[in-house]
Amino acid sequence: MISRILAGSLLLPLLAVSLAASCGGNGGTSSGSASSNATASGGSGGAGGSGGDGVGGFIAAGGSGVGGPDVCDPPDVLVVLDRTLTMHKTPEGGTPSDGPEYKSSKWYQAITAVEQLVAPPLDKGIRFGVELWPKDPGGGTCITLAERVQNTKPATNPSCQEGEVPISPGLDQGPTIQALLDPATTTLCTSTPTGNALLTAEQHLQEIAAAGREQYVVLVTDGADWDFSCPEPNPLPITQALMKKGIKTYIVGFSAEGDIQPGGVGAEFLNNMACAGGTAKGFPASCADDGNGNFTATDPSGAPLYLKAESSTELALALKSIGGKLCCNCGDTCDPPEILIALDRTLTMHKTPNGETPTDGPDYPSSKWYQAVTAIEKMVAPPRDNHARYGLELWPRDPGGETCITLAERVTNSKQATNPFCESGEIVVPPALGSGGAIQQYLDPAATRLCISTPTGEALFTATDHLLKSVTPGRDQYVVLVTDGADWDQSCPAPSPLPIVQQLAASGIRTFVVGFSAEGAILPGGVGAGFLNDMACAGQTAKGFPAGCQEGPGGYVAKDPGGEILYLQASDAAGLDKALAGVADGLCCDCVK
């Protein structure tokens, strides 16, 4: 058993580092506030033991880290593992051919990932338990993985039964769970009673609830066919009821097929479940409340809001991210978020923030372009780039051939920009750890060129496409739009930026809107403060959100676009520095706040 777990670890080097405490808090997303359960990394243990070297160190009760002696109560985390017959398939939906162990099956990979999740030392910071569903009534009615793959025996257990909790949540349960679970002998059963499984979890967690101790369900499922085999009880309202009782539910969908076939209700169901459980990506930004505290996905058919795993590696990462968020008194960091800075390189950026033509050549430090580049270079500089995955998009893209022009050429009017109108942006530095130097090297106010037209919508499409293609389970993603706001509606009115930002929010990706101009109207030709207020609400980062915003059919907009400033307004270089530093510090992973 242990040798198989170690072998799996060798195949998944990303799990070699111990699981980490998230800076987003227990069960939340990284919103800039430090976790109440996390201590500063690299702390030294007191009487309780050593805190390690800052990578995966566990600080036992009584120990102390750099952040102080605060000790939380490890939460109850019940892993609710789908043991239905479709779990014998590979994530791609095929029949495994690598017997006798069938390591390519979802069942083998799911058990291995759960065993790695609950392994010491994390089981000292989380009270792990496991539920298998549906229950195995015994008598050989459920079948082994080999029997299912080889089709030598059918499962004859009663349909639609409840789950069973063979191991109740408790400290130091990792080895016990590892001893229980074995892909070769832990049986698979017929029917998919997802609703009854969640009722079993609810009943058990309520029986063991302790005052002040948080509780969570981690539903690991391939999502298939509950609505056909066991449509009642419906899992969605049960998950919503759990949430109202303070029990959040993480949804881990394990299948390479978005529709999770055969017979599955797929990604839309899992998106709604993630919102219902209060753990959707970007929650609550990506979810809609019916007014009674019951959440569903704003766009169920949109990007995955649940923890989507298409392979054994992604499943391990998904579970790792949960363990990192919930671990109590762990001495490591959260998963640094991806922050894509989308920088406006349009021709109006040559002006000063007051709208004048700079006269301080040859560098023109009074220009918005010089000041924006400088502020971004400060924002991404080490050590910040060790705590967030910074990336850079410039928009519109520079097609080369000197069709875009330098700051000096624009200020002196010695050359005209001739690049094509309304093109997309370009990702010049993808989000990554330690990318500050690369961004600083790429940006140069004198050499990085300005281009004609203001395709704000296309720029956001570029950001959307890149971020959705680079999703890592459990990792937060953000866009930081730095713009002077001018004239997109005149030069490139389609696509409109607003619905794109609303869709990003529905996909769990929030957008910070930084308006850089001393003029609220952002002239000439700009749509100004009203537009940027709507954008900040659409991106769900408006000042005091959701106060000041209202929800419409497509998403949020400002209640009064012409009212108080809701976006991050920067009227000069110092204001821009402050705005970007505030974003960076708010999203910084495992930083002292």
mmCIF file of all heavy atoms in Angstrom, residues 32 57 141 191 214 247-248 303 308 316 323 333 404 417 438 441 518 543 550 570 577 593:
data_model
loop_
_atom_site.group_PDB
_atom_site.id
_atom_site.type_symbol
_atom_site.label_atom_id
_atom_site.label_comp_id
_atom_site.label_asym_id
_atom_site.label_seq_id
_atom_site.Cartn_x
_atom_site.Cartn_y
_atom_site.Cartn_z
ATOM 1 N N GLY A 32 -7.101 38.632 -0.520
ATOM 2 C CA GLY A 32 -6.216 39.629 0.026
ATOM 3 C C GLY A 32 -6.127 39.621 1.530
ATOM 4 O O GLY A 32 -5.260 40.260 2.093
ATOM 5 N N GLY A 57 6.135 23.248 6.418
ATOM 6 C CA GLY A 57 6.320 22.984 7.837
ATOM 7 C C GLY A 57 5.003 23.038 8.574
ATOM 8 O O GLY A 57 4.202 23.944 8.385
ATOM 9 N N THR A 141 -22.121 -8.143 -3.213
ATOM 10 C CA THR A 141 -23.026 -7.467 -4.152
ATOM 11 C C THR A 141 -22.333 -6.333 -4.908
ATOM 12 O O THR A 141 -22.714 -6.029 -6.043
ATOM 13 C CB THR A 141 -24.249 -6.913 -3.411
ATOM 14 O OG1 THR A 141 -23.794 -6.058 -2.347
ATOM 15 C CG2 THR A 141 -25.080 -8.048 -2.826
ATOM 16 N N SER A 191 -25.472 2.214 -9.298
ATOM 17 C CA SER A 191 -26.322 3.397 -9.082
ATOM 18 C C SER A 191 -25.505 4.569 -8.565
ATOM 19 O O SER A 191 -24.416 4.391 -8.011
ATOM 20 C CB SER A 191 -27.517 3.101 -8.173
ATOM 21 O OG SER A 191 -27.151 3.047 -6.818
ATOM 22 N N GLU A 214 -14.980 24.450 12.214
ATOM 23 C CA GLU A 214 -15.523 24.476 10.864
ATOM 24 C C GLU A 214 -15.614 23.064 10.299
ATOM 25 O O GLU A 214 -14.841 22.169 10.661
ATOM 26 C CB GLU A 214 -14.667 25.362 9.965
ATOM 27 C CG GLU A 214 -14.682 26.823 10.402
ATOM 28 C CD GLU A 214 -13.878 27.717 9.490
ATOM 29 O OE1 GLU A 214 -13.087 27.185 8.690
ATOM 30 O OE2 GLU A 214 -14.040 28.941 9.585
ATOM 31 N N ILE A 247 -21.730 24.489 6.510
ATOM 32 C CA ILE A 247 -20.884 23.415 5.979
ATOM 33 C C ILE A 247 -20.700 23.648 4.486
ATOM 34 O O ILE A 247 -21.639 23.471 3.695
ATOM 35 C CB ILE A 247 -21.507 22.032 6.222
ATOM 36 C CG1 ILE A 247 -21.760 21.810 7.718
ATOM 37 C CG2 ILE A 247 -20.612 20.923 5.655
ATOM 38 C CD1 ILE A 247 -22.560 20.556 8.031
ATOM 39 N N LYS A 248 -19.506 24.071 4.100
ATOM 40 C CA LYS A 248 -19.223 24.312 2.690
ATOM 41 C C LYS A 248 -18.848 23.008 1.994
ATOM 42 O O LYS A 248 -18.292 22.100 2.627
ATOM 43 C CB LYS A 248 -18.098 25.326 2.530
ATOM 44 C CG LYS A 248 -18.456 26.724 2.997
ATOM 45 C CD LYS A 248 -17.332 27.701 2.727
ATOM 46 C CE LYS A 248 -17.702 29.111 3.182
ATOM 47 N NZ LYS A 248 -16.606 30.085 2.914
ATOM 48 N N ALA A 303 -17.307 28.786 -18.009
ATOM 49 C CA ALA A 303 -16.053 28.160 -17.582
ATOM 50 C C ALA A 303 -16.255 27.399 -16.279
ATOM 51 O O ALA A 303 -17.141 27.724 -15.487
ATOM 52 C CB ALA A 303 -14.977 29.225 -17.406
ATOM 53 N N LYS A 308 -12.013 21.271 -11.581
ATOM 54 C CA LYS A 308 -12.041 20.338 -12.704
ATOM 55 C C LYS A 308 -10.711 19.614 -12.825
ATOM 56 O O LYS A 308 -9.651 20.226 -12.879
ATOM 57 C CB LYS A 308 -12.327 21.109 -13.995
ATOM 58 C CG LYS A 308 -12.400 20.237 -15.235
ATOM 59 C CD LYS A 308 -12.695 21.085 -16.459
ATOM 60 C CE LYS A 308 -12.785 20.241 -17.711
ATOM 61 N NZ LYS A 308 -13.043 21.065 -18.920
ATOM 62 N N ALA A 316 -4.763 15.516 -8.264
ATOM 63 C CA ALA A 316 -3.887 15.746 -7.114
ATOM 64 C C ALA A 316 -3.777 17.232 -6.798
ATOM 65 O O ALA A 316 -3.805 17.636 -5.628
ATOM 66 C CB ALA A 316 -2.509 15.158 -7.398
ATOM 67 N N GLY A 323 -6.625 21.132 0.553
ATOM 68 C CA GLY A 323 -5.847 20.949 1.765
ATOM 69 C C GLY A 323 -5.101 22.200 2.165
ATOM 70 O O GLY A 323 -5.017 22.560 3.344
ATOM 71 N N THR A 333 2.689 28.366 2.456
ATOM 72 C CA THR A 333 1.983 29.424 1.759
ATOM 73 C C THR A 333 0.787 28.902 0.993
ATOM 74 O O THR A 333 0.609 27.710 0.793
ATOM 75 C CB THR A 333 2.926 30.099 0.746
ATOM 76 O OG1 THR A 333 3.297 29.126 -0.232
ATOM 77 C CG2 THR A 333 4.157 30.613 1.437
ATOM 78 N N CYS A 404 3.752 50.592 -35.235
ATOM 79 C CA CYS A 404 3.533 51.318 -33.984
ATOM 80 C C CYS A 404 4.739 52.232 -33.756
ATOM 81 O O CYS A 404 5.793 52.054 -34.385
ATOM 82 C CB CYS A 404 3.353 50.343 -32.816
ATOM 83 S SG CYS A 404 1.838 49.341 -32.935
ATOM 84 N N ALA A 417 1.451 56.397 -36.394
ATOM 85 C CA ALA A 417 1.224 54.959 -36.230
ATOM 86 C C ALA A 417 0.334 54.453 -37.359
ATOM 87 O O ALA A 417 -0.668 55.087 -37.703
ATOM 88 C CB ALA A 417 0.563 54.679 -34.891
ATOM 89 N N ALA A 438 11.439 39.563 -15.950
ATOM 90 C CA ALA A 438 11.098 39.474 -17.373
ATOM 91 C C ALA A 438 10.200 40.627 -17.795
ATOM 92 O O ALA A 438 10.347 41.187 -18.893
ATOM 93 C CB ALA A 438 10.420 38.135 -17.659
ATOM 94 N N GLN A 441 12.269 43.780 -17.890
ATOM 95 C CA GLN A 441 13.150 43.783 -19.062
ATOM 96 C C GLN A 441 12.386 44.090 -20.336
ATOM 97 O O GLN A 441 12.893 44.765 -21.232
ATOM 98 C CB GLN A 441 13.856 42.436 -19.185
ATOM 99 C CG GLN A 441 14.882 42.364 -20.312
ATOM 100 C CD GLN A 441 15.639 41.052 -20.317
ATOM 101 O OE1 GLN A 441 15.326 40.130 -19.562
ATOM 102 N NE2 GLN A 441 16.654 40.950 -21.165
ATOM 103 N N ALA A 518 -6.003 62.464 -14.740
ATOM 104 C CA ALA A 518 -6.441 63.452 -13.763
ATOM 105 C C ALA A 518 -7.841 63.950 -14.066
ATOM 106 O O ALA A 518 -8.496 64.548 -13.215
ATOM 107 C CB ALA A 518 -5.467 64.634 -13.730
ATOM 108 N N LYS A 543 -15.199 49.630 -5.409
ATOM 109 C CA LYS A 543 -15.071 50.070 -4.019
ATOM 110 C C LYS A 543 -16.333 49.686 -3.244
ATOM 111 O O LYS A 543 -17.448 50.031 -3.628
ATOM 112 C CB LYS A 543 -14.866 51.582 -3.980
ATOM 113 C CG LYS A 543 -14.763 52.162 -2.583
ATOM 114 C CD LYS A 543 -14.607 53.675 -2.646
ATOM 115 C CE LYS A 543 -14.576 54.291 -1.253
ATOM 116 N NZ LYS A 543 -14.474 55.775 -1.320
ATOM 117 N N GLN A 550 -25.343 47.206 -8.998
ATOM 118 C CA GLN A 550 -26.608 46.498 -9.104
ATOM 119 C C GLN A 550 -26.471 45.396 -10.145
ATOM 120 O O GLN A 550 -25.731 45.539 -11.122
ATOM 121 C CB GLN A 550 -27.752 47.439 -9.474
ATOM 122 C CG GLN A 550 -27.587 48.154 -10.802
ATOM 123 C CD GLN A 550 -28.689 49.172 -11.055
ATOM 124 O OE1 GLN A 550 -29.616 49.323 -10.257
ATOM 125 N NE2 GLN A 550 -28.597 49.879 -12.168
ATOM 126 N N ALA A 570 -6.439 56.953 -10.533
ATOM 127 C CA ALA A 570 -5.077 57.460 -10.351
ATOM 128 C C ALA A 570 -4.940 58.729 -11.167
ATOM 129 O O ALA A 570 -5.022 58.699 -12.393
ATOM 130 C CB ALA A 570 -4.051 56.425 -10.799
ATOM 131 N N ASP A 577 0.977 54.466 -8.552
ATOM 132 C CA ASP A 577 1.791 53.586 -7.708
ATOM 133 C C ASP A 577 0.958 53.016 -6.566
ATOM 134 O O ASP A 577 1.012 51.820 -6.261
ATOM 135 C CB ASP A 577 2.988 54.348 -7.135
ATOM 136 C CG ASP A 577 4.087 54.600 -8.149
ATOM 137 O OD1 ASP A 577 4.090 53.936 -9.201
ATOM 138 O OD2 ASP A 577 4.942 55.476 -7.889
ATOM 139 N N LYS A 593 0.071 41.092 6.009
ATOM 140 C CA LYS A 593 -0.866 42.137 5.604
ATOM 141 C C LYS A 593 -0.841 43.285 6.607
ATOM 142 O O LYS A 593 -0.680 43.053 7.790
ATOM 143 C CB LYS A 593 -2.274 41.577 5.519
ATOM 144 C CG LYS A 593 -2.385 40.398 4.552
ATOM 145 C CD LYS A 593 -2.152 40.829 3.116
ATOM 146 C CE LYS A 593 -2.619 39.756 2.151
ATOM 147 N NZ LYS A 593 -1.664 39.019 1.457
#
